[in-house]
Amino acid sequence: MAEKTNGSAMLENVDYHAVGMSATDPSLNPFMIAQRQLADAAKILKLDDATHEMLRWPIREMHAHLPVRMDNGKVKVFHAFRVQYNDARGPTKGGIRFHPDETIDTVRALAAWMTWKVAVVDIPLGGGKGGIVCDPLKMSLGELERLSRAYIRAFARLLGPEKDVPAPDVYTTPQIMAWMVDEYAVIQGQNQFGMITGKPLALGGSQGRGDATARGGVYVMREAAKKIKLDLAKATYAIQGSGNAGWFAAQIINDEIGGKVVAIGEIDGAVYNPEGLDVHKFHEHFTKTKSVKGFKGAEILPNSKDVLELKVDVVVPAALENQITKANAGRIKAKMILELANGPTTPEADEILFEKGVMVLPDFLANAGGVTVSYFEMVQNAYQYYWEPELVRKRLDMKMTDAFNAVYEMAQKHKVHNRLGAYLVSVHRVAEAMKLRGWV
Ligand code: GLU
């Protein structure tokens, strides 16, 4: 084995400019955060330097500039990325985000987290991620379709069921997956449903994929609640975000667990009612108006982040990264944080929450339900034989419960927070595959 790593000190030697990283605010750059988190795990695992260095970088990343004809007749050029982070355990897998603030570093970080995510639930895949810098809320359906197809044309040669398999993420939907699988079929001259997941049911999608991220998180929360003796049916919840993850979480908590959702944060503020919100009415209102404003039956808070500091039992960040930082972590009152978003908590905040004894269910464990059912979708596509919803849920439950237990045990054993516990489980698995392949 090569010389032992010195952990985070290695970060000092990076020529950030040469690798296209922005060094302006390292404490909030998601990719630098991902590298720091890895370094903490590398130290405890005593990873050799070569393994650590390989795991700090994507094996491959692609940039493309997509010309798209807009409804006004003009062509607009969109910047797009696909990052294949690590494929030692299988084809890379991860969603595509459509977001105005997308950067190569966020996509790299998200691709790294996908690598740890698929490893923590022990499915035979690697990690990847994609993104397009765009504002989908300001685009027509036709523009979105042309943009989605352009993305597949640019990256088709790098995608495929045995290579790299995209899926939905922030602001991407089953309809977008449908356009993408169709464009891929045109290019290949044949249907290949397993090249993308999160598809509509009528087009090779899986039962249970729509709410899989939230449902998987709820299974993890159920196991964690046993450890801290929290009665989930009597608990109160505040949710930031009501998209692919947050809205389904609100529904499951409200309709199935019987818990009280008191607040939901969205792009232009939050709705709050300590007696409990009518989550269905809010969803109807928000879908129609794209705003929290004007919703009856709740107080309107100015910022979506405000929900994180409310006096509730469980906080569910289900929006974007860097929401819980050293600036607000000290004010969090919840007993448990269910991270359905990717990267919502910074390392400084992790330390504060650990000191306070908050049960944090870290993102790449808590939100792994989405990719787990995506993997089930790939399996069903390969066999052309589809499962009942009950079977999907049962198998998802097994995966999430096993993953939680592995992480919790690891964190207890090393007396570290759950995120580091999760890193120890995942990094060990990926490093083992790299070693067996003879990479390091
Ligand atoms: N975008 C989701 C995530 O961050 C799902 C990825 C997938 O299904 O491949 O986990």
Side-chain angles (χ1 to χ4, degrees):
M1 239 192 210
E3 206 182 308
K4 297 284 179 278
T5 180
N6 57 359
S8 56
M10 286 176 74
L11 298 184
E12 269 26 285
N13 303 327
V14 174
D15 178 348
Y16 290 118
H17 185 69
V19 294
M21 276 166 87
S22 125
T24 44
D25 187 352
S27 73
L28 293 178
N29 176 312
F31 188 44
M32 291 184 195
I33 289 175
Q35 289 190 329
R36 276 172 64 187
Q37 292 166 336
L38 170 69
D40 290 342
K43 221 187 268 179
I44 299 176
L45 290 170
K46 299 190 172 50
L47 278 194
D48 62 273
D49 278 352
T51 306
H52 184 187
E53 189 64 11
M54 267 306 282
L55 291 175
R56 292 180 63 215
W57 305 102
I59 49 168
R60 191 175 299 112
E61 61 187 41
M62 287 76 63
H63 298 232
H65 308 281
L66 315 174
V68 174
R69 185 147 328 257
M70 306 303 277
D71 292 348
N72 65 8
K74 293 206 173 98
V75 171
K76 190 168 168 189
V77 178
F78 291 89
H79 306 286
F81 316 106
R82 186 76 194 164
V83 173
Q84 296 173 347
Y85 200 84
N86 188 293
D87 62 357
R89 287 169 46 90
T92 48
K93 180 90 191 77
I96 303 172
R97 300 209 307 182
F98 284 7
H99 201 275
D101 300 331
E102 199 64 278
T103 68
I104 183 63
D105 276 352
T106 33
V107 182
R108 284 165 167 163
L110 290 156
W113 291 328
M114 282 309 302
T115 306
W116 314 133
K117 191 181 303 191
V118 289
V120 86
V121 282
D122 205 9
I123 55 182
L125 297 169
K129 203 82 178 193
I132 305 182
V133 187
C134 67
D135 192 348
L137 301 181
K138 297 200 179 115
M139 294 170 69
S140 70
L141 271 185
E143 289 170 343
L144 282 173
E145 175 174 354
R146 294 192 289 280
L147 179 64
S148 304
R149 291 183 184 277
Y151 186 89
I152 294 302
R153 283 197 300 279
F155 294 122
R157 71 200 68 187
L158 304 153
L159 303 174
E162 306 290 341
K163 294 189 204 168
D164 183 12
V165 184
D169 201 274
V170 172
Y171 291 139
T172 46
T173 58
Q175 174 63 73
I176 291 177
M177 302 303 113
W179 290 324
M180 289 181 164
V181 81
D182 180 70
E183 189 67 22
Y184 192 77
V186 171
I187 293 167
Q188 301 293 330
Q190 58 180 20
N191 277 325
Q192 235 174 338
F193 284 163
M195 64 75 54
I196 202 161
T197 61
K199 302 180 293 293
L201 275 182
L203 219 55
S206 174
Q207 293 285 351
R209 178 62 185 87
D211 69 6
T213 305
R215 193 169 293 283
V218 166
Y219 293 143
V220 169
M221 177 168 78
R222 180 196 64 206
E223 295 307 306
K226 291 180 195 162
K227 305 288 181 198
I228 61 167
K229 303 201 172 22
L230 177 67
D231 183 348
L232 294 178
K234 295 208 178 94
T236 51
Y237 301 79
I239 304 175
Q240 187 197 28
S242 65
N244 290 344
W247 164 233
F248 287 111
Q251 270 185 97
I252 296 171
I253 290 166
N254 184 80
D255 302 353
E256 296 180 31
I257 296 180
K260 203 189 272 182
V261 178
V262 300
I264 298 179
E266 253 302 339
I267 27 174
D268 65 343
V271 287
Y272 175 47
N273 182 344
E275 301 307 316
L277 293 170
D278 184 331
V279 297
H280 294 278
K281 275 215 177 102
F282 172 71
H283 186 65
E284 216 173 279
H285 169 89
F286 186 77
T287 309
K288 228 182 276 163
T289 63
K290 299 266 178 285
S291 170
V292 299
K293 301 208 172 92
F295 179 66
K296 307 263 183 310
E299 185 188 333
I300 308 292
L301 308 178
N303 199 312
S304 86
K305 263 190 181 177
D306 295 338
V307 306
L308 304 172
E309 297 176 27
L310 293 172
K311 199 170 170 347
V312 291
D313 297 306
V314 185
V315 155
V316 186
L320 292 172
E321 55 278 357
N322 291 338
Q323 300 302 299
I324 306 178
T325 65
K326 61 175 188 274
N328 61 355
R331 294 197 297 270
I332 287 187
K333 297 164 194 78
K335 301 181 182 79
M336 186 145 82
I337 300 180
L338 176 66
E339 294 185 347
L340 294 184
N342 289 309
T345 308
T346 65
E348 291 80 11
D350 264 331
E351 293 305 324
I352 298 169
L353 297 169
F354 189 47
E355 287 279 296
K356 279 164 68 103
V358 180
M359 170 70 98
V360 175
L361 302 171
D363 53 0
F364 70 80
L365 166 68
N367 70 28
V371 74
T372 300
V373 178
S374 275
Y375 161 61
F376 296 162
E377 186 174 331
M378 289 170 71
V379 172
Q380 294 169 81
N381 291 153
Y383 281 94
Q384 302 254 46
Y385 186 76
Y386 289 83
W387 308 351
E388 302 303 322
E390 296 72 31
L391 185 59
V392 172
R393 284 187 189 180
K394 190 173 132 211
R395 290 184 166 160
L396 174 63
D397 194 346
M398 275 164 56
K399 279 285 178 205
M400 302 307 294
T401 301
D402 286 353
F404 171 79
N405 287 326
V407 167
Y408 189 75
E409 262 169 43
M410 188 65 95
Q412 296 291 308
K413 181 173 150 202
H414 290 277
K415 298 188 174 48
V416 296
H417 52 67
N418 290 339
R419 189 177 326 275
L420 188 46
Y423 264 93
L424 295 175
V425 171
S426 294
V427 172
H428 172 76
R429 288 179 181 165
V430 179
E432 186 187 13
M434 284 171 34
K435 197 166 176 49
L436 285 168
R437 280 175 176 258
W439 290 2
V440 285

